[in-house]
């Protein structure tokens, strides 16, 4: 979306915290953390957009939980989330 | 009917990204007047945390196959292919180039040190600053600066959009003179505050990649 390049709107400290949870990671350059952060932003928007498309199909203007869950169920790209949605 | 997995509940809550920022990101892709149920936002927030660790883990694996201990940006980009999000790469590459360019700029200008988190509000003595700089190194300093920028952006998101429109013509005087209609440069260039014509190209590229997503 429209955001300044080379910057993220997510708090980088929080993203780094998530990265540090991974025990296989020794260290991570700041540029890498930035990329993970921006990718996560894009992911949020992708998931939101696809959820909204499902809501729209049912003539709703709001995203509901089941829309998100349906996206995860139907789209292979989101398969890694299936545990979260107990599918 | 508990929508979130109870087992992972607490851990994900600790690592959750700020609701307000996630909400704003979501609203950016939805048409006006559309809403998002609280549970849906929470599900997306938790998914985002999982995505970040999913991507991190893939990047970590790639860096170890390349015999490196530090995860480098190239590993993250390769990891996106690995986890089947190749559509993100071109935009991320643009971000990486802009980030590296901004880093160079900063190093040429005043190397102003941003303090450690604990001392962020109470400014340190100049000597202490120097010690901090040497002990933490350049990387740490950049991270903190980056964070400040992110916080500022979080608060002034709407404002900055307007400012950029105003600033745009003065920032790119060459382009404004070169192209007859200023509206054209506004449409492609307004979110950029670096002002380089190079990043203009990336931005329009980025828009091209975004729009099919939105319409499909």
């Amino acid at each position: 979306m429209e955001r300044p390049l080379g910057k993220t709107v997510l708090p980088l400290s929080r993203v780094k915290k998530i990265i540090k949870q991974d025990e296989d990671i020794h260290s991570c350059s700041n540029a890498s953390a930035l990329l993970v952060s921006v990718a996560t932003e894009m992911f949020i928007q992708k998931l939101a957009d696809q959820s909204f498309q499902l809501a729209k199909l049912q003539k709703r203007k709001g995203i509901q939980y089941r829309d998100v869950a349906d996206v995860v169920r139907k789209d292979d790209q989101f398969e890694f989330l299936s545990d979260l949605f107990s599918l | 009917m508990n929508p979130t997995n109870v087992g992972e509940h607490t851990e994900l809550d600790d690592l959750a990204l700020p609701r307000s920022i996630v909400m704003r990101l979501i609203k950016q892709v939805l048409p006006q007047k559309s809403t998002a149920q609280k549970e849906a936002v929470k599900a997306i927030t938790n998914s985002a945390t999982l995505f970040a660790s999913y991507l991190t883990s893939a990047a970590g694996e790639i860096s170890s196959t390349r015999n490196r201990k530090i995860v480098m940006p190239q590993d993250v980009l390769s990891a996106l292919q690995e986890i089947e999000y190749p559509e993100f790469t071109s935009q991320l590459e643009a971000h990486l180039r802009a980030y590296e360019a901004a880093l160079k700029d900063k190093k040429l200008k005043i190397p102003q040190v941003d303090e450690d988190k604990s001392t962020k509000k109470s400014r340190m003595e100049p000597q202490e600053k120097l010690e901090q700089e040497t002990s933490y190194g350049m990387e740490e300093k950049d991270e903190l600066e980056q964070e400040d920028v992110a916080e500022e952006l979080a608060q002034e998101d709407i404002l900055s959009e307007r400012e950029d429109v105003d600033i745009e013509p003065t920032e790119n005087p060459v382009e404004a003179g070169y192209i007859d209609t200023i509206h054209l440069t506004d449409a492609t260039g307004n979110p950029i505050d670096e002002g380089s014509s190079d990043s203009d190209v990336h931005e329009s590229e980025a828009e091209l990649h975004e729009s099919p997503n939105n319409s499909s």
Side-chain angles (χ1 to χ4, degrees), chain B residues 126-140:
Chain B
Q127 284 112 334
E128 272 181 282
K129 263 190 188 177
L130 278 173
E131 277 170 39
Q132 286 278 345
E133 187 176 13
T134 44
S135 60
Y136 283 99
M138 297 297 276
E139 291 252 302
E140 191 75 14

Side-chain angles (χ1 to χ4, degrees), chain B residues 20-101:
Chain B
S20 58
I21 298 177
V22 173
M23 195 66 210
R24 189 168 54 232
L25 285 169
I26 294 173
K27 285 216 166 142
Q28 279 173 15
V29 292
L30 302 189
Q32 282 185 340
K33 285 186 182 176
S34 52
T35 55
Q37 191 191 40
K38 217 175 181 181
E39 292 299 342
V41 177
K42 195 167 184 210
I44 292 174
T45 306
N46 286 341
S47 303
T49 304
L50 275 185
F51 174 81
S53 56
Y54 183 47
L55 176 59
T56 301
S57 142
E61 256 169 53
I62 287 169
S63 67
S64 66
T65 60
R66 291 171 178 172
N67 293 319
R68 256 193 280 99
K69 280 195 169 180
I70 301 171
V71 177
M72 299 301 278
Q74 284 309 318
D75 304 329
V76 180
L77 292 172
S78 307
L80 283 170
Q81 313 284 329
E82 193 76 26
I83 66 171
E84 282 163 29
Y85 283 84
E87 69 269 32
F88 287 2
T89 39
S90 66
Q91 213 173 328
L92 285 183
E93 277 165 359
H95 274 277
L96 180 60
R97 281 193 293 265
Y99 173 77
E100 282 168 347

Side-chain angles (χ1 to χ4, degrees), chain A residues 19-64:
Chain A
I19 294 172
K20 273 176 194 155
Q21 296 292 308
D22 198 318
E23 285 167 4
D24 297 329
I25 305 281
H26 294 273
S27 54
C28 179
S29 80
N30 282 313
S32 304
L34 173 84
L35 289 192
V36 171
S37 192
V38 177
T40 306
E41 289 179 31
M42 291 168 74
F43 170 81
I44 289 168
Q45 297 193 321
K46 187 183 173 76
L47 183 54
D49 181 54
Q50 298 208 9
S51 305
F52 178 72
Q53 300 308 324
L54 286 188
K56 211 162 75 175
L57 281 180
Q58 298 175 47
K59 309 248 187 302
R60 280 187 278 107
K61 279 184 180 170
I63 299 177
Q64 294 181 5

Side-chain angles (χ1 to χ4, degrees), chain A residues 63-79:
Chain A
I63 299 177
Q64 294 181 5
Y65 176 80
R66 58 181 160 141
D67 298 321
V68 186
D70 280 350
V71 169
V72 171
R73 188 177 309 136
K74 284 172 187 162
D75 197 326
D76 285 348
Q77 249 189 339
F78 298 103
E79 207 192 319

